[in-house]
Amino acid sequence: ASMRPQVSVIIPVYNERENLDALTARLNAALQECLDESFEVVFVDDGSRDGSSEMLDELAALNRHYRVIHLSRNFGHQAALQAGIDAASGNAVVLMDADLQDPPEVLTEFIAKWQEGFDVVYAIRANRHEPIWKRAGYKMFYRTMNFIADIDTPLDAGDFCLMDRRVVDALVGLRERNRFLRGLRTWVGFKQIGIGFDRPLRNAGKPKY
Ligand code: UDP
Ligand code: MG
């Protein structure tokens, strides 16, 4: 019998000490509600220097679903996500930020769509609470990119998503080294669906990405 967990949740962490307690509390509640034991959470510590590294080790020592990968320095959000994807063993993989801008409660909807047969379920930011100049920047970025690129990345979709193992294996097989994951995720194909959610501001601390 396979020992694969149903779902692996990948969380990149760079100096998120103030968010880890709230994150794990909400995540545990969400996971227990929809998965009943068969899951793992892979934290990727991207060279944190604020005590997050030690905190993650302590959390993992107390929770058998948790694993921590410590990167040797800060490599950036996309590289941290990829390290987590490479290490994940689940039948589905979820990508989620550590600052609670990707609400763990949305997992229930991801899993429901996956069980309906979708290979990729990605979250669309329906309402952003960020300042207008930032939102204008995001809009311009996605519209410009879709104008230039051969394949359209869905507007206002971030990395927050669930991907079936088939999609994960396809991504792992790509040879790009400088990765824009949400673009590659669109490019690989399969049966995809977006679901809207209200993206809150980060829980605590400052954005670093
Ligand atoms: N992050 C990371 N490495 C970095 C910068 C950010 O692993 O060099 C993590 C960060 O801890 C968070 C996620 O990536 O979990 C998104 O970062 P952030 O909230 O700063 O970005 P934004 O929400 O502004 O896109
Ligand atoms: Mg954030």
Side-chain angles (χ1 to χ4, degrees), residues 6-197:
Q6 279 282 79
V7 173
S8 304
V9 181
I10 314 296
I11 308 184
V13 175
Y14 180 53
N15 297 343
E16 300 283 3
R17 182 185 57 197
E18 299 155 291
N19 288 319
L20 294 177
D21 282 332
L23 170 71
T24 50
R26 279 173 58 186
L27 183 63
N28 292 346
L31 284 167
Q32 256 137 35
E33 190 184 294
C34 53
L35 284 170
D36 178 58
E37 292 300 290
S38 187
F39 60 86
E40 64 173 359
V41 181
V42 181
F43 293 98
V44 184
D45 167 32
D46 187 18
S48 296
R49 275 163 300 178
D50 71 336
S52 293
S53 312
E54 296 74 12
M55 227 178 131
L56 288 171
D57 285 338
E58 284 162 25
L59 288 165
L62 297 172
N63 189 325
R64 65 200 164 77
H65 296 289
Y66 288 5
R67 291 163 58 196
V68 189
I69 297 172
H70 294 283
L71 301 188
S72 56
R73 63 167 170 84
N74 179 244
F75 284 91
H77 179 241
Q78 297 288 297
L81 280 176
Q82 190 57 48
I85 291 172
D86 290 343
S89 60
N91 291 320
V93 168
V94 170
L95 308 181
M96 180 186 285
D97 287 351
D99 59 1
L100 289 166
Q101 286 203 277
D102 298 338
E105 295 73 23
V106 175
L107 255 169
T108 318
E109 293 174 63
F110 280 174
I111 288 165
K113 288 286 178 223
W114 178 47
Q115 285 167 345
E116 271 175 43
F118 288 97
D119 300 301
V120 175
V121 190
Y122 57 87
I124 300 169
R125 299 156 177 184
N127 299 300
R128 289 182 185 261
H129 296 276
E130 274 139 341
I132 183 111
W133 59 269
K134 243 188 172 180
R135 286 190 314 218
Y138 292 135
K139 261 214 167 93
M140 213 154 68
F141 170 76
Y142 286 105
R143 290 197 164 73
T144 308
M145 205 178 64
N146 285 349
F147 180 72
I148 301 170
D150 290 337
I151 247 201
D152 283 354
T153 308
L155 296 177
D156 299 316
D159 290 321
F160 187 28
C161 70
L162 175 148
M163 297 178 285
D164 184 80
R165 172 52 51 189
R166 297 199 295 159
V167 179
V168 174
D169 288 344
L171 280 180
V172 169
L174 294 176
R175 290 154 190 214
E176 271 74 13
R177 290 213 296 154
N178 246 317
R179 285 167 172 253
F180 181 59
L181 274 168
R182 64 200 72 163
L184 295 175
R185 182 187 71 207
T186 307
W187 183 83
V188 293
F190 299 97
K191 206 173 158 198
Q192 308 214 359
I193 189 169
I195 56 172
F197 81 112

